[in-house]
Amino acid sequence: MKQDQITQNNGAILKARARALAKEEDQALAPRSFIEITEFSLAAETYGIESSFVREVYQLRDFTPLPGVPSFVLGIVNVRGQILSVVDLKKIFNLPAKGLGELNKVIILDNGRMEFGILADAVLGTRPVALDAIQASPVTVTGIGAEYLKGITGERVVILDAKKILDDEKIIVNERVSGSE
Amino acid sequence: MDNDNEEFLKRLRETFRVESGEHVRAMSAGLIELEKTTDPKKQVDIVETMFREAHSLKGAARSVDRPDIESLCQALEGQFATLKRQEAALTPALLDLLHQTVDGIARLTSYAEKGQTKITQQQTGELENPMPRAGVESPFPQADTVRIPTTKLAPLLLQAEEMISAKMAAGQRVRELQEIDRILSLWKAESEKWKDRRSSGLEWDEWLERNGERMTALQSQVVATTKAALQDQRAFRRMVDDHLEAMKELLMLPVGSLVEVLPKLARDLSRAQGKELELTIQGAEIKIDKRILEELKDPLIHLVRNCVDHGIKKPEDRAREGKPPCGTIRLSFVVKDNRQMGISVSDDGSGVDIDKVRVAAAKLGLPQANAEKYSGPEETLQLIFHSGISTSPIITDISGRGLGLAIVREKVEKLGGTVSVTSEKSAGTTFRLLLPMTLATFRGVLVRVRSRVFVLPAINVEHVLRARAADIKTIENRETIQSGGQILAMARLGDILELPVRENGFEAKKTSGETAASYMPVVILTFAEKRMAFLVDEVLQEQDVLVKGLGGQLKRVRNIAGATILGTGKVVPVLNVQDLMKSAVSSTAGARKAAVTGTTPARTGRILVAEDSITARTLLKNILETAGYQVATAVDGVDAFTQLRSNEFDLVVSDVDMPQMNGFELTTRIRADKKFVELPVVLVTALESREDKERGIEAGANAYIIKSSFDQSNLLEVIRRFL
């Protein structure tokens, strides 16, 4: 008898739980879509960029600065025999410069047509971010940097638009010496 | 299934395009041959060959469902058959017709899809050119393929397989080094334990003895590994060199594959101009690197075209000079010293008119036009390679702009070759080209400039000299140096590249210019017959370099041609000599003043522009802002003076003609004010009169620039003098 009662109670509890669970599921019925981002820091800020555009993360050991390039081009690096340019986003976002050190990484972006690295003060890791958790950037963020932003998350992680950055004509350096011979 | 089919058809059409190209070229060449030969027996042979070509092409056209081409081939075949049976005479008219037909086929085959059936509806006889001749363009774009005999591929595969041993050897060396590292780490850990212990007789001796043994063992291991690594290096070097050589060999193609289009081109061009000529080729079997061959196509076409346009005259003119009516262009290829190929293109035409060249050079304002200085006709003749020089009295769509020969020289020099010309009046002109047979491995000269290392292409480095400060003299504030009896403009590479003097907080190694007594390395660079001296801080060495691009984001960077990776893994930029020379000429970095202060030309300064015309005002503002200045604008003198009093400016640029208060009055007002005594005033004007200039000086202006000579570099240079 007692046994029965317990079973019954248990049954009630389980049912209640099932209901609760079912309800929870109801709420999240619209499946949330996620993107995976690679998180990195620039000065005091945290940024994220879609991992699907990240070819690899490369430890910045040495780089060669180039004369005559815009300041946002840090220089060129040798990635296993391939020469790639490195863009310093801090120069574009007007962030304070920081000395280069052990932690500096180059995040190599690639969309099949364009390939270059962006300098990170440190790479924090990768994690999924729900698309609906990304809000539009605050209106105060304007300027050239603004068009590279996809939005920000609740944790104030700035999500960059890798597609736009890679496709941007303005980031391409194509300069000749003017003047006659 | 449908997709597969579609894919297959696409492949088939591509194959057809390549194949038909070969047939068409063979027929074109045959027709040219046919025209030249008078031996009836040979004629029959040629017709027979062409007949077969037409027949094969017909079959191929049918298999890709191209009735348009098929019917043209049919007609051709018929025509050749009649010729074969000698039922028709080989008249020039018939030859022209055959040429046109083959051209028509060529055009049709270059369309991947059918749809140009319009042409076929006309019979062979009325075949008209539906399009104007594309000129240089070959009617069928050559597929970028190379045919390689399997006998050549087999050894190549063998070589590639041999490289597996290199891979394994590298693995073995790594393991050996890891082992040495392991022993050393163990040893180090053990040594740590001994650090704090007092030396206690026996034990200590034992430890020392063990150390000795270990040292010996380790050393022999290091020696063995080093020896093995040395052997590897030798083996790899041979392997890589052989492989590279074999690969280069694969890319060697006979010159004939390039020049087969030329007889036809020459024929078409001369016909169009009512001239007669024959083009002969010698040495077509000589093999040369495909990459060089491709680059040679344009120069040769330009040269042949030049011969037709300028050298060969019309039959009646030739008759007057006592020459046969039909002109000749001889194209010959010879191998020189096994490493170089000599090409000569000569015609039996009228020769180059030196006086006309001189006149054209004078028109361009070239100093060489000065007959006294360059009295030798030889030197004057070489001026025809200068861009913009043409002896042609009119500019037409195909010639007269003086570009062709300039392009020839540029292309040839890019390949590391040279080009020269000799000419004799009414006897003819000969162009001689000397080129490397294979694309040489790029050699570079490593130089240090301030704290950075750059590569200069060895081909542009004429020589390196050591100069004392006293050897450098300024002319019009620009540095010059003497080399080989010639005064050369000199620039400091660090200034041209705008390198910071201080880097990373450390002062760069002292530039050698600072110590007057010491020697400074100066590199004499040449490009397109221009020579210029560049001061560097150190010339390090010359070595083979593999030039790579800078990546997609850096499409083109001024002064930089690419980058190379040194044996140490360090990336070093390769400089673009043509750019360097342009930069040196256009920048004031060449002027001594900038060199002394060594500041990068990031210009700062607030400039007030007074100008009543909005266009001119916007233009000025734009130019100045681009140069890095802060610019404010005023619409006339009154406005300008008001702004001057309320804001601070470092310089004033003013128009002369303005309402209310003109530029002279404004200048006078500025000078009258104690606050502005030192303020530089630059007057810009359309008036070019001496009185006005004097008036400007009188008013106290610092510069007076006439708009007619007013280009931005001039204005900026003037402004830079004051700021």
Side-chain angles (χ1 to χ4, degrees):
Chain A
M1 206 54 174
K2 211 175 182 189
Q3 189 67 41
D4 254 20
Q5 215 161 15
I6 290 170
T7 323
Q8 223 170 15
N9 274 355
N10 278 357
I13 291 166
L14 286 173
K15 259 184 196 151
R17 278 184 189 166
R19 265 198 300 276
L21 280 170
K23 211 171 181 181
E24 206 77 281
E25 217 159 298
D26 261 1
Q27 265 177 354
L29 210 95
R32 303 180 77 185
S33 36
F34 291 85
I35 53 167
E36 186 172 90
I37 59 156
T38 302
E39 269 188 326
F40 60 99
S41 62
L42 286 180
E45 299 175 5
T46 305
Y47 286 76
I49 195 154
E50 268 172 273
S51 299
S52 59
F53 289 101
V54 176
R55 187 185 97 182
E56 66 179 285
V57 174
Y58 174 80
Q59 165 85 49
L60 182 71
R61 284 181 212 96
D62 190 17
F63 72 95
T64 302
L66 289 178
V69 290
S71 64
F72 68 76
V73 178
L74 179 76
I76 45 176
V77 290
N78 167 14
V79 182
R80 295 182 303 278
Q82 186 192 11
I83 291 175
L84 281 174
S85 53
V86 179
V87 168
D88 187 355
L89 291 174
K90 278 182 283 187
K91 291 283 192 310
I92 295 175
F93 296 142
N94 260 327
L95 293 171
K98 215 170 139 186
L100 294 173
E102 281 284 287
L103 288 173
N104 279 114
K105 296 276 189 341
V106 174
I107 300 174
I108 300 174
L109 303 181
D110 181 9
N111 67 356
R113 297 181 303 276
M114 177 57 74
E115 208 176 5
F116 56 82
I118 54 173
L119 179 73
D121 286 343
V123 169
L124 310 170
T126 60
R127 69 181 177 93
V129 169
L131 273 176
D132 54 17
I134 301 173
Q135 318 165 10
S137 325
V139 284
T140 47
V141 183
T142 54
I144 320 165
E147 55 193 286
Y148 292 162
L149 306 186
K150 216 180 175 88
I152 52 167
T153 68
E155 303 98 320
R156 236 64 60 78
V157 173
V158 186
I159 308 292
L160 297 176
D161 194 333
K163 202 167 164 320
K164 266 205 187 137
I165 296 178
L166 282 163
D167 281 338
D168 190 15
E169 288 281 330
K170 289 193 293 296
I171 215 160
I172 294 173
V173 177
N174 189 3
E175 201 186 345
R176 289 167 188 283
V177 174
S178 57
S180 60
E181 287 171 52
Chain B
M1 198 59 206
D2 261 345
N3 252 347
D4 282 354
N5 210 18
E6 194 57 30
E7 195 58 34
F8 171 71
L9 274 176
K10 220 171 120 194
R11 267 210 318 274
L12 197 66
R13 272 186 225 117
E14 181 55 29
T15 316
F16 173 70
R17 203 173 57 79
V18 175
E19 190 199 337
S20 58
E22 282 166 9
H23 292 309
V24 167
R25 276 198 296 276
M27 283 193 281
S28 285
L31 284 172
I32 299 276
E33 190 76 4
L34 197 59
E35 214 167 346
K36 274 190 214 160
T37 183
T38 44
D39 181 1
K41 202 168 165 300
K42 217 170 162 194
Q43 283 184 340
V44 171
D45 286 351
I46 297 165
V47 168
E48 174 66 35
T49 317
M50 284 193 294
F51 174 74
R52 282 204 214 114
E53 294 286 349
H55 184 77
S56 311
L57 184 54
K58 188 177 76 177
R62 191 182 303 140
S63 57
V64 289
D65 189 24
R66 292 292 300 264
D68 48 347
I69 296 173
E70 196 188 330
S71 67
L72 273 182
C73 287
Q74 174 82 51
L76 262 185
E77 218 186 308
Q79 201 55 258
F80 287 139
T82 353
L83 277 174
K84 240 171 78 178
R85 293 193 299 269
Q86 304 195 324
E87 289 170 9
L90 196 61
T91 60
L94 178 58
L95 272 169
D96 274 352
L97 183 62
L98 290 172
H99 265 299
Q100 280 169 17
T101 312
V102 173
D103 276 0
I105 294 176
R107 268 195 302 278
L108 285 175
T109 54
S110 64
Y111 297 117
E113 305 294 331
K114 50 180 179 172
Q116 293 286 323
T117 40
K118 193 174 78 196
I119 300 168
T120 45
Q121 276 149 18
Q122 302 167 314
Q123 268 315 306
T124 339
E126 303 103 40
L127 192 86
E128 287 286 328
N129 284 358
M131 297 179 275
R133 288 274 306 143
V136 189
E137 231 58 59
S138 166
F140 29 87
Q142 284 228 13
D144 203 12
T145 53
V146 191
R147 276 192 191 176
I148 301 166
T150 42
T151 48
K152 274 189 177 177
L153 272 182
L156 213 63
L157 181 64
L158 215 65
Q159 282 173 354
E161 277 173 348
E162 250 181 70
M163 289 188 191
I164 296 173
S165 72
K167 187 174 78 179
M168 287 182 342
Q172 179 61 30
R173 296 296 92 75
V174 169
R175 280 191 293 280
E176 284 167 16
L177 285 171
Q178 279 170 339
E179 175 62 13
I180 292 170
D181 182 47
R182 194 185 61 81
I183 294 171
L184 278 173
S185 312
L186 272 177
W187 194 357
K188 200 178 164 200
E190 211 174 320
S191 306
E192 291 292 317
K193 280 187 266 167
W194 281 88
K195 243 186 200 162
D196 306 324
R197 268 195 238 177
R198 300 270 146 250
S199 53
S200 59
L202 208 64
E203 247 183 21
W204 181 252
D205 286 348
E206 216 174 272
W207 165 240
L208 280 183
E209 196 181 319
R210 219 165 45 221
N211 273 356
E213 280 165 17
R214 273 185 182 158
M215 182 69 100
T216 316
L218 206 56
Q219 201 196 0
S220 61
Q221 242 169 317
V222 171
V223 167
T225 304
T226 310
K227 212 170 137 192
L230 270 172
Q231 260 169 17
D232 287 352
Q233 194 202 7
R234 248 175 265 134
F236 297 169
R237 198 190 321 165
R238 186 187 50 77
M239 240 181 248
V240 170
D241 288 352
D242 285 357
H243 195 59
L244 215 60
E245 205 52 46
M247 285 306 289
K248 276 184 184 169
E249 182 72 20
L250 282 191
L251 287 176
M252 299 288 263
L253 289 181
V255 172
S257 59
L258 164 79
V259 295
E260 63 191 5
V261 295
L262 292 178
K264 177 148 172 43
L265 175 86
R267 186 187 179 281
D268 289 352
L269 273 177
S270 57
R271 276 290 159 99
Q273 299 181 8
K275 296 172 183 175
E276 277 178 42
L277 78 83
E278 193 187 332
L279 190 138
T280 64
I281 297 168
Q282 280 173 329
E285 71 288 348
I286 292 172
K287 284 188 175 181
I288 183 169
D289 194 309
K290 179 172 178 278
R291 290 164 294 176
I292 293 183
L293 205 57
E294 276 161 3
E295 290 298 309
L296 270 180
K297 195 177 163 193
D298 283 353
L300 284 181
I301 287 173
H302 279 299
L303 286 177
V304 167
R305 174 172 277 186
N306 196 75
C307 289
V308 177
D309 279 351
H310 300 296
I312 309 281
K313 292 255 171 76
K314 290 194 173 129
E316 53 271 28
D317 296 328
R318 289 178 62 87
R320 232 171 286 139
E321 288 178 347
K323 289 178 188 168
C326 179
T328 313
I329 297 177
R330 282 195 188 80
L331 199 59
S332 90
F333 298 87
V334 281
V335 179
K336 291 189 171 170
D337 316 325
N338 249 330
R339 307 247 19 113
Q340 282 187 309
M341 183 173 68
I343 305 175
S344 75
V345 182
S346 54
D347 65 52
D348 63 346
S350 48
V352 179
D353 188 332
I354 299 280
D355 292 330
K356 277 193 189 167
V357 174
R358 208 165 262 155
V359 169
K363 241 188 250 168
L364 276 186
L366 296 180
Q368 292 94 318
N370 189 338
E372 287 154 43
K373 216 166 142 196
Y374 282 80
S375 52
E378 276 297 305
E379 281 95 334
T380 310
L381 192 55
Q382 308 309 321
L383 286 177
I384 62 175
F385 292 112
H386 200 288
S387 178
I389 297 253
S390 175
T391 57
S392 176
I394 48 159
I395 294 175
T396 66
D397 54 340
I398 61 161
S399 77
R401 280 165 299 181
L403 285 176
L405 292 179
I407 292 171
V408 169
R409 185 175 72 178
E410 201 184 303
K411 282 254 182 187
V412 169
E413 289 189 351
K414 227 183 194 170
L415 291 168
T418 56
V419 57
S420 62
V421 57
T422 52
S423 180
E424 209 173 308
K425 199 159 171 84
S426 74
T429 309
T430 301
F431 289 95
R432 289 196 178 78
L433 280 65
L434 206 58
L435 289 152
M437 302 279 283
T438 59
L439 265 193
T441 324
F442 189 94
R443 286 191 67 79
V445 176
L446 267 69
V447 295
R448 180 176 65 79
V449 184
R450 297 194 180 139
S451 62
R452 305 206 193 153
V453 176
F454 294 95
V455 172
L456 285 164
I459 192 161
N460 297 115
V461 177
E462 186 187 280
H463 65 275
V464 175
L465 52 90
R466 287 162 15 110
R468 270 183 311 233
D471 298 334
I472 300 165
K473 296 208 166 65
T474 60
I475 294 176
E476 288 184 340
N477 208 27
R478 294 207 172 218
E479 291 179 310
T480 60
I481 195 161
Q482 198 168 16
S483 162
Q486 212 186 332
I487 309 281
L488 296 179
M490 195 194 82
R492 289 163 190 256
L493 201 48
D495 293 337
I496 298 301
L497 295 173
E498 298 168 21
L499 297 183
V501 175
R502 285 161 169 278
E503 217 161 1
N504 303 334
F506 298 105
E507 189 162 355
K509 281 192 199 170
K510 213 170 193 186
T511 43
S512 43
E514 254 87 63
T515 40
S518 68
Y519 286 97
M520 295 171 273
V522 172
V523 184
I524 312 289
L525 297 180
T526 61
F527 184 87
E529 282 176 31
K530 277 197 277 288
R531 301 168 77 215
M532 198 181 268
F534 287 87
L535 184 71
V536 299
D537 290 316
E538 199 178 340
V539 175
L540 302 165
Q541 59 183 313
E542 184 180 333
Q543 66 177 62
D544 285 350
V545 292
L546 182 64
V547 186
K548 299 186 172 194
L550 300 171
Q553 186 237 335
L554 301 178
K555 256 202 185 126
R556 199 183 189 291
V557 175
R558 68 190 139 105
N559 300 322
I560 294 179
T564 189
I565 298 171
L566 300 184
T568 56
K570 171 116 189 126
V571 183
V572 176
V574 178
L575 297 176
N576 178 332
V577 174
Q578 191 179 9
D579 270 15
L580 286 181
M581 289 192 172
K582 281 189 191 171
S583 299
V585 172
S586 62
S587 88
T588 47
R592 185 71 190 118
K593 186 177 160 241
V596 169
T597 52
T599 46
T600 49
R603 284 165 270 282
T604 49
R606 289 146 302 176
I607 298 178
L608 179 65
V609 172
E611 166 70 71
D612 59 326
S613 145
I614 178 150
T615 317
R617 197 163 62 227
T618 316
L619 180 72
L620 278 168
K621 185 171 192 281
N622 201 359
I623 291 171
L624 295 173
E625 279 180 343
T626 312
Y629 298 106
Q630 288 175 42
V631 181
T633 54
V635 294
D636 58 37
V638 175
D639 184 13
F641 200 70
T642 319
Q643 290 202 37
L644 271 176
R645 280 203 290 209
S646 50
N647 291 303
E648 287 218 358
F649 291 99
D650 301 314
L651 187 138
V652 175
V653 174
S654 172
D655 185 22
V656 170
D657 268 332
M658 286 183 295
Q660 292 206 64
M661 185 195 283
N662 70 24
F664 299 130
E665 289 160 4
L666 174 65
T667 312
T668 315
R669 284 282 287 277
I670 287 171
R671 286 291 170 258
D673 195 316
K674 252 191 290 173
K675 223 175 106 193
F676 303 132
V677 172
E678 295 288 302
L679 185 70
V681 177
V682 176
L683 289 178
V684 179
T685 176
L687 308 166
E688 186 168 7
S689 77
R690 197 167 48 86
E691 295 93 78
D692 270 356
K693 193 170 179 178
E694 278 164 6
R695 229 185 121 190
I697 295 165
E698 206 176 286
N702 300 68
Y704 184 86
I705 303 174
I706 288 121
K707 268 180 195 164
S708 53
S709 70
F710 168 62
D711 58 17
Q712 63 179 74
S713 60
N714 190 15
L715 174 71
L716 291 175
E717 202 164 319
V718 166
I719 289 176
R720 248 172 257 146
R721 277 194 204 161
F722 299 115
L723 290 182

